[in-house]
Amino acid sequence: MLRKISLKRALTYLSVGCAALAVSLLSPAHAQVKELKVGYMKNPIQEASVDIMEKWAKKNGVKLVKIPMAYSIFQEKVTATLTSGNDQFDVIWHNDDWGQLWIKWLARMDDVKGMDRVSKHPLDAFYDEDGKVSAVPMAHTVGTFFYRTDLVKPEEVPTTWAELVSVSQRLQKEGKVKWGYVGGMAMNNTWFSLWWTMWGNKCDIFMPMWERDNKKLNAAGWKPALTEPCTKEYVEFWWDALYTHKISPEAMTSYTRDEANAIFMAGDAAFTLVDSTHFGDFNSPKKSRIAGKVAMAPQPMGPRGEKPFAWNEIWGWGIPKGVPADRQKLAKEMLGAMLTDMEGQKAMWDATGGPPPSMDAWDILSKDDKVFADLKNAVFDQNIGTHSAYYFPAWPAVHKAYSDVMIGALKGKREDIPKAMAAGMDAVHKAANGGQ
Amino acid sequence: MGTPGPDKAPGKPGKSFALRWLALNEKTRFSLLLLAPSGIMLILFQIVPILIGANASFRDWSLYDPQRTWVGLQHYIYILTDPNFLYLVLPNTLLLMVSSVSIGLVLGLALAHMLNKHFFGHAIVQTVILLPLMVAPVIASMMMRWIFNDQFGVVAAVIGALGFGQIAWLSDRWPSFAIIVFTDVWLWTPWFTILLLAGLRSLPKEPYEAAAIDAASKWRVFTHVTLPMMRPIMAVCIVIRSIDCFRTFDQVWVISGGGPARQTEVFSIYAYTEAFVYLNFGRGTAAAIIGAIIIGTLGWGLYKLLNRFMEVSR
Amino acid sequence: MSVATDTGYTPPKRGSFLDALAPGGKRAFFLLSVLGVLLIFAFPVFWLVLTSMRPAWGVYYVHRGLEFTLGNYLEVLEQEVVVHAFFNSFVIATLSTFFSLTVTVTSGYMLSRFTGKLANAWFGTIYIFRTIPYITWVLPLYFVTQWWGIFDTYLGLLLPHIAVHICFFSWLMKGFFDGIDPSMESAALIDGCTRWGAFLRVALPSALPGIAALSILCWLWTWNEFLFALILTSHNTPMITVVMAQFVSELGTEWNLMSATAVMAMVPALIVAIFGQKYVVRGLKV
């Protein structure tokens, strides 16, 4: 009896096993055991970049597992995954903000195909001490000054802060628009108000100005530039913009780019500065009331500026070091294919307004795409003198401390600004030194 | 109270499990069985992770490069000597807690009382009161943020239409604090209402009949019959709600982010910032544990006080 | 109860604001306050619904213009993941409500009916672990579920969701049972009922209104829960709140789609609340 059952069972197992083997041998899926997992933020540009990779994956019989993640926990979750050596992702979205945070955990990318044809400056965030790079660019993220073409003629576009104030006030007085400038200012949106004017006034957060070499900054003791005259100038500019000239709403200190974009797209402001990728939204009749009436221009300069400032950073892709060598190789192959796929990059630009990573694509686009030519003029051809962040682990802490000091100063009295700056020196310095 | 013992007893090595089990008296066996399922779940998915986290609070544990070297009480000392924590964050947190819990309790009690009667449209009113529970707190907070925006918010539009001009609600300390409290009350009053209503519904009828014979006024019946009988439920609700309110995160994070310039920062934002903005997980968990100790002590005192106070008020 | 013993004492009538009103006025006042309450509770939700029906260019300036559309809903529904996410959220919310209540009703009963070291230790434990903020344990929980191989599975989300309710629910259940006279159970025991029988047949029915209320709260809480869903899931178990969170990116918020998803997510919640509250209202008196 017992033997009979076990025999029957063995037979069943055998036949099932055979069938499974047969199916797996016969079906083309057998070739698809290769699988790559991509972790990214759900966003049209990143999805477009993943689409380029998918094209390659389909052609090469690799299964691409897409893992979109919410931005609010992306950095925390991926950091935790990387440090614990978990095998969750083969390719992850990499951002200049955390370029140095993950340097220890990511593979080097110098040998990826097409890396010789990318802009080098934006990669600064991703180099290790030996000069090897840990990211492959996906798209450029650049702050761009936008103006309303129905309100301002191209030759009237402000090139200095003073003009920004006078043009705004004129438009407001004529009743053409409610506000002159609107941009994000709350924590994590500092670029769209305080910072562009800071760099546009040849100023910076730490001394020496515009230095991004951590060794030199270390040697200088991470001394904040808050008490420098150039800082006072741009803080007073914003204080006046809010309370004296009233070209910006008072509550702008609490705005993120959501509020600022909403106001700009509703037609209630003449100027804004935000990532270039919003150009598509601004000009989409579906999303904006000012579609077709928005153009890009170089940033207005502060009293110390000589040439309009611009920054040029990237979003990139990284590969965790913990990924087994064969899959690392495969992932690099895929990223190389993405980087050399001109057609795909052009499609990404067309669909999303994300400036493509390869210089070859730039050459193609700047010839026959007017918008790209405008963007090139407004950003890439300007004075890209420094980076829009510092590349060391304490950077988020510095950003937060700086933001608190500035918002506090802007909520106070104008004559108290120097006092607030002096008081903030310690907080920002401490933040740079890990709270010590 | 590191590793609590209640349900460890049956698993101890030595004598066989069955023998030990039978040696217990019948009542103990019954009570162990009653709490075994929740005890096991609690250990696996709450106590173990919390102990891991608590371990980090004694170590040099940065999020991006955990060294895990022992630093003793360094993180705790840092937080307890941080003037921002002591003189800004703690008062804000306590103020939020006291205002939100007290307003929510009074409103919840009033609404529960109202819903305990039958009137026309009862079902609709009750459903409407439950509406805030049906929206995710994060979404509700975003909605509040937009509603109170000075440019496109509907409140600003109404106030502007009435001729009061614009108020920069969210960029000033007290208006944004008030909006946070309002949102919190809005989100949690239904919670009080439904639990207190359930409490009211389970009360026995006899004391009310006795009070009716006495011709006691409605208010007197409420204070002398209803409240004392509701004591256990109310005490639990108040204490639990206080504990949760002490660590409110979503509403504050979405509405003000602790700003302007940390003016509305509460305890959980402080701990979150330490752990995930400054990437110092060790210090963040230390802050969280300090907060837990503070609210744990406060809550316990409150619980005892409530029990005694209501005992007296009978 | 003191009132019951106070026979013969008639409290003085309080001259309250309400008494000063004529009976009709009193009724109007009651009606007005009810309407006021309804307005405050309903308005943000009403505004959310209105927002979700605005075209993308009008989601912030909701009161500016009268154009409404269902386009946002259609755009959300185009994502394949949404239906899957609704299903997952429903399953997790329902299962976690059921199991949370099952495991805590016993532990709450134990806390209410037994005294002594064991009960005290258990009560102390749940109290202490209730006070610890999520920040301490969500990240370790991420690792714990990975060690046990249940990360990004139903189980990996369900079990933590049950655990998170244990402290609060046990305590609240204790409160419910405290409000119920234990003499009935003693009588049942004397009549030859087992302890389990006394618990299941006598104590449990009396606590049902409270349990029904808790089940509504638990279901809605799990349905709307963000943090665990964001940390403990990946691409295999999409949850509706995760889908919502993904409308926020580094480049801003797609509020039109986010609000439409939130409104869609309210529908099951509304149904559950309406069905659930019937039991709270009815109450089961012994």
Side-chain angles (χ1 to χ4, degrees):
Chain A
M1 188 66 189
L2 195 76
R3 263 182 62 193
K4 215 175 173 182
I5 289 175
S6 61
L7 183 71
K8 214 173 171 184
R9 202 177 273 168
L11 276 174
T12 321
Y13 283 163
L14 200 66
S15 53
V16 168
C18 283
L21 195 68
V23 169
S24 63
L25 280 176
L26 283 174
S27 75
H30 178 64
Q32 281 218 354
V33 281
K34 287 188 280 185
E35 191 181 86
L36 286 176
K37 286 172 289 189
V38 184
Y40 60 100
M41 170 178 77
K42 215 168 132 56
N43 166 276
I45 297 174
Q46 303 208 353
E47 282 169 338
S49 187
V50 172
D51 284 347
I52 308 180
M53 294 191 232
E54 183 129 59
K55 230 165 60 180
W56 171 89
K58 281 224 175 87
K59 216 186 289 168
N60 289 275
V62 174
K63 188 169 172 238
L64 201 62
V65 181
K66 297 190 232 176
I67 309 179
M69 275 184 278
Y71 176 60
S72 54
I73 46 101
F74 186 90
Q75 192 206 335
E76 288 87 341
K77 213 168 155 176
V78 176
T79 306
T81 312
L82 289 174
T83 54
S84 69
N86 273 319
D87 191 15
Q88 290 286 326
F89 315 101
D90 300 312
V91 177
I92 44 152
W93 165 42
H94 200 4
N95 203 355
D96 63 322
D97 289 350
W98 50 78
Q100 289 302 309
L101 286 186
W102 293 352
I103 193 88
K104 200 172 158 185
W105 313 102
L106 293 182
R108 301 299 171 252
M109 300 293 220
D110 303 80
D111 52 345
V112 172
K113 207 172 130 202
M115 278 299 277
D116 51 333
R117 290 300 300 150
V118 302
S119 173
K120 292 288 176 253
H121 166 89
L123 286 173
D124 283 352
F126 308 95
Y127 283 108
D128 63 10
E129 284 176 344
D130 305 330
K132 303 259 190 226
V133 76
S134 63
V136 165
M138 165 204 320
H140 289 255
T141 57
V142 294
T144 310
F145 186 72
F146 291 100
Y147 69 95
R148 292 265 301 278
T149 50
D150 58 329
L151 300 175
V152 200
K153 289 191 208 98
E155 61 272 19
E156 290 173 344
V157 175
T159 56
T160 63
W161 298 351
E163 283 175 31
L164 180 61
V165 171
S166 62
V167 175
S168 295
Q169 283 185 323
R170 176 171 62 79
L171 292 170
Q172 284 172 283
K173 208 182 277 166
E174 289 168 5
K176 282 186 178 156
V177 72
K178 196 169 172 197
W179 301 105
Y181 181 90
V182 66
M185 202 182 251
M187 172 60 192
N188 244 342
N189 295 264
T190 322
W191 287 276
F192 314 120
S193 49
L194 288 157
W195 278 347
W196 71 261
T197 51
M198 176 173 80
W199 292 309
N201 198 33
K202 295 223 142 174
C203 210
D204 212 339
I205 302 168
F206 291 107
M207 308 284 283
M209 309 275 184
W210 289 19
E211 182 57 65
R212 287 298 180 273
D213 185 337
N214 288 339
K215 282 188 199 121
K216 289 186 189 152
L217 286 158
N218 250 331
W222 295 99
K223 182 174 176 278
L226 296 181
T227 46
E228 297 300 308
C230 64
T231 304
K232 186 164 171 269
E233 284 159 18
Y234 76 80
V235 179
E236 284 180 350
F237 167 77
W238 285 112
W239 199 97
D240 288 337
L242 297 175
Y243 307 108
T244 316
H245 307 314
K246 296 184 187 294
I247 61 167
S248 302
E250 245 179 70
M252 205 171 94
T253 48
S254 68
Y255 285 2
T256 64
R257 62 194 106 192
D258 283 331
E259 279 104 343
N261 287 354
I263 294 168
F264 186 68
M265 286 198 279
D268 274 5
F271 307 104
T272 192
L273 189 145
V274 74
D275 288 287
S276 68
T277 46
H278 286 287
F279 184 72
D281 286 353
F282 291 164
N283 275 311
S284 140
K286 217 183 111 202
K287 292 189 174 169
S288 157
R289 302 253 72 185
I290 49 166
K293 301 175 195 162
V294 184
M296 302 181 257
Q299 299 177 9
M301 292 176 290
R304 288 160 199 268
E306 290 137 17
K307 190 181 178 196
F309 179 81
W311 67 82
N312 175 16
E313 316 298 349
I314 54 157
W315 280 349
W317 294 110
I319 299 174
K321 259 188 189 157
V323 174
D326 56 325
R327 260 192 288 151
Q328 268 192 37
K329 195 168 154 269
L330 200 63
K332 282 185 178 178
E333 225 173 277
M334 177 170 77
L335 291 174
M338 183 274 291
L339 215 47
T340 47
D341 183 344
M342 291 310 125
E343 226 169 277
Q345 289 182 32
K346 194 171 172 298
M348 175 174 96
W349 161 261
D350 289 339
T352 65
S358 172
M359 305 295 272
D360 295 338
W362 286 28
D363 292 343
I364 301 171
L365 284 176
S366 52
K367 252 179 252 156
D368 45 36
D369 191 308
K370 195 196 165 287
V371 177
F372 190 82
D374 277 356
L375 178 67
K376 199 158 165 289
N377 169 52
V379 177
F380 298 123
D381 293 345
Q382 298 305 333
N383 180 13
I384 302 179
T386 190
H387 286 287
S388 64
Y390 284 82
Y391 299 129
F392 70 132
W395 167 242
V398 168
H399 187 171
K400 175 85 171 78
Y402 171 93
S403 170
D404 289 338
V405 171
M406 288 297 164
I407 304 283
L410 287 172
K411 292 308 293 178
K413 290 199 192 101
R414 193 178 196 271
E415 60 268 26
D416 290 343
I417 290 174
K419 233 191 285 167
M421 293 298 120
M425 289 289 278
D426 190 41
V428 177
H429 175 79
K430 254 189 177 172
N433 290 285
Q436 304 308 315
Chain B
M1 213 42 359
T3 40
D7 24 40
K8 264 194 153 179
K12 271 186 191 157
K15 275 196 235 168
S16 88
F17 171 75
L19 275 179
R20 286 184 151 268
W21 183 242
L22 287 175
L24 297 168
N25 73 32
E26 181 258 344
K27 210 174 146 186
T28 318
R29 254 185 290 162
F30 179 60
S31 50
L32 274 176
L33 275 179
L34 284 176
L35 62 75
S38 40
I40 292 166
M41 293 293 301
L42 193 75
I43 289 177
L44 290 184
F45 292 97
Q46 195 159 0
I47 295 180
V48 166
I50 285 176
L51 291 181
I52 296 173
N55 176 30
S57 74
F58 299 103
R59 290 171 190 275
D60 174 12
W61 197 303
S62 74
L63 211 55
Y64 60 96
D65 193 8
Q67 298 296 324
R68 303 190 172 93
T69 41
W70 185 265
V71 296
L73 292 173
Q74 190 191 308
H75 295 316
Y76 289 88
I77 293 167
Y78 173 90
I79 287 153
L80 289 174
T81 53
D82 180 359
N84 277 319
F85 182 74
L86 294 177
Y87 306 118
L88 181 71
V89 171
L90 270 188
N92 274 344
T93 314
L94 292 175
L95 186 63
L96 174 65
M97 183 180 96
V98 170
S99 44
S100 170
V101 173
S102 52
I103 299 173
L105 175 74
V106 171
L107 267 179
L109 204 55
L111 291 175
H113 215 255
M114 181 180 98
L115 290 174
N116 199 23
K117 295 187 208 109
H118 283 284
F119 56 88
F120 182 71
H122 180 280
I124 296 172
V125 174
Q126 184 165 319
T127 309
V128 168
I129 288 173
L130 287 181
L131 276 178
L133 286 176
M134 297 171 208
V135 189
V138 178
I139 303 282
S141 309
M142 287 179 83
M143 194 67 253
M144 290 294 183
R145 188 182 163 111
W146 309 138
I147 283 179
F148 285 101
N149 181 282
D150 63 310
Q151 293 299 310
F152 50 77
V154 63
V155 173
V158 171
I159 288 180
L162 294 175
F164 286 102
Q166 280 168 351
I167 305 169
W169 300 95
L170 290 165
S171 69
D172 286 322
R173 180 180 191 176
W174 295 115
S176 44
F177 198 86
I179 292 171
I180 292 168
V181 172
F182 174 75
T183 309
D184 208 50
V185 168
W186 185 80
L187 278 169
W188 288 103
T189 300
W191 184 94
F192 272 119
T193 310
I194 190 165
L195 287 177
L196 295 177
L197 177 63
L200 283 175
R201 296 264 169 191
S202 337
L203 294 183
K205 282 208 183 79
E206 296 78 20
Y208 288 97
E209 283 154 10
I213 295 167
D214 291 348
S217 77
K218 274 182 187 167
W219 180 252
R220 200 176 156 77
V221 172
F222 179 70
T223 53
H224 284 66
V225 183
T226 311
L227 278 187
M229 285 196 296
M230 291 283 283
R231 191 194 68 209
I233 284 298
M234 273 171 60
V236 180
C237 281
I238 295 171
V239 174
I240 286 277
R241 186 63 205 112
S242 303
I243 293 174
D244 283 358
C245 196
F246 188 85
R247 55 185 192 196
T248 306
F249 180 79
D250 292 348
Q251 291 90 293
V252 188
W253 185 249
V254 172
I255 290 175
S256 77
R262 305 188 73 171
Q263 295 283 292
T264 58
E265 187 166 314
V266 293
F267 153 72
S268 59
I269 304 267
Y270 181 90
Y272 175 88
T273 309
E274 286 292 348
F276 294 109
V277 178
Y278 300 168
L279 306 165
N280 195 336
F281 186 62
R283 199 185 282 163
T285 47
I289 287 169
I290 289 175
I293 293 171
I294 294 173
I295 186 59
T297 320
L298 276 180
W300 194 254
L302 189 66
Y303 189 57
K304 292 284 168 217
L305 192 76
L306 282 172
N307 273 333
R308 187 180 314 159
F309 166 72
M310 296 204 199
E311 203 84 52
V312 171
S313 80
R314 267 213 238 206
Chain C
M1 302 282 146
S2 57
V3 172
T5 54
D6 263 0
T7 41
Y9 169 72
T10 325
K13 270 256 177 194
R14 276 168 164 264
S16 81
F17 166 67
L18 283 182
D19 293 331
L21 292 168
K26 208 165 156 180
R27 196 168 210 178
F29 178 79
F30 179 73
L31 212 67
L32 272 180
S33 51
V34 169
L35 280 179
V37 165
L38 289 189
L39 188 75
I40 290 176
F41 276 88
F43 183 77
V45 174
F46 165 74
W47 207 245
L48 184 71
V49 175
L50 217 57
T51 301
S52 71
M53 295 196 297
R54 290 282 281 166
W57 52 261
V59 281
Y60 292 97
Y61 289 84
V62 180
H63 53 278
R64 210 188 258 185
L66 286 168
E67 296 85 345
F68 293 101
T69 165
L70 291 177
N72 298 326
Y73 291 89
L74 298 178
E75 204 174 329
V76 171
L77 288 171
E78 266 171 24
Q79 297 188 25
E80 298 154 35
V81 73
V82 168
V83 178
H84 194 183
F86 264 96
F87 177 77
N88 280 345
S89 283
F90 189 85
V91 170
I92 295 287
T94 310
L95 290 180
S96 108
T97 304
F98 179 77
F99 287 110
S100 298
L101 292 169
T102 319
V103 301
T104 53
V105 73
T106 56
S107 103
Y109 180 69
M110 183 264 178
L111 283 175
S112 168
R113 292 296 184 260
F114 293 91
T115 48
K117 265 191 217 151
L118 188 60
N120 284 342
W122 177 238
F123 189 64
T125 309
I126 63 169
Y127 181 77
I128 286 169
F129 285 97
R130 176 70 190 180
T131 60
I132 311 266
Y134 291 116
I135 191 169
T136 322
W137 56 291
V138 166
L139 210 58
L141 197 57
Y142 174 60
F143 297 132
V144 166
T145 53
Q146 285 185 343
W147 292 339
W148 294 336
I150 53 172
F151 172 72
D152 199 20
T153 63
Y154 274 173
L155 219 52
L157 196 53
L158 179 63
L159 297 179
H161 265 307
I162 300 171
V164 74
H165 291 308
I166 285 174
C167 300
F168 169 40
F169 284 10
S170 298
W171 197 1
L172 208 63
M173 292 280 189
K174 167 181 152 54
F176 288 136
F177 286 116
D178 280 351
I180 297 163
D181 191 357
S183 58
M184 297 283 287
E185 292 150 60
S186 317
L189 280 180
I190 290 162
D191 286 350
C193 207
T194 61
R195 281 186 189 275
W196 282 104
F199 164 59
L200 291 172
R201 286 194 209 108
V202 184
L204 197 57
S206 319
L208 275 180
I211 295 172
L214 262 190
S215 68
I216 298 182
L217 289 178
C218 182
W219 198 93
L220 293 176
W221 195 87
T222 317
W223 178 257
N224 285 324
E225 203 278 335
F226 265 88
L227 190 60
F228 279 18
L230 281 171
I231 301 282
L232 300 178
T233 68
S234 182
H235 59 294
N236 287 324
T237 46
M239 302 287 287
I240 196 66
T241 44
V242 177
V243 171
M244 280 191 237
Q246 287 180 351
F247 290 122
V248 182
S249 82
E250 198 196 358
L251 294 182
T253 308
E254 290 188 84
W255 181 232
N256 55 329
L257 304 183
M258 201 171 178
S259 57
T261 318
V263 172
M264 280 197 278
M266 276 180 64
V267 176
L270 198 63
I271 294 170
V272 164
I274 288 172
F275 273 94
Q277 58 175 291
K278 218 165 69 184
Y279 296 95
V280 184
V281 174
R282 194 183 290 156
L284 289 172
K285 302 257 172 64
V286 205

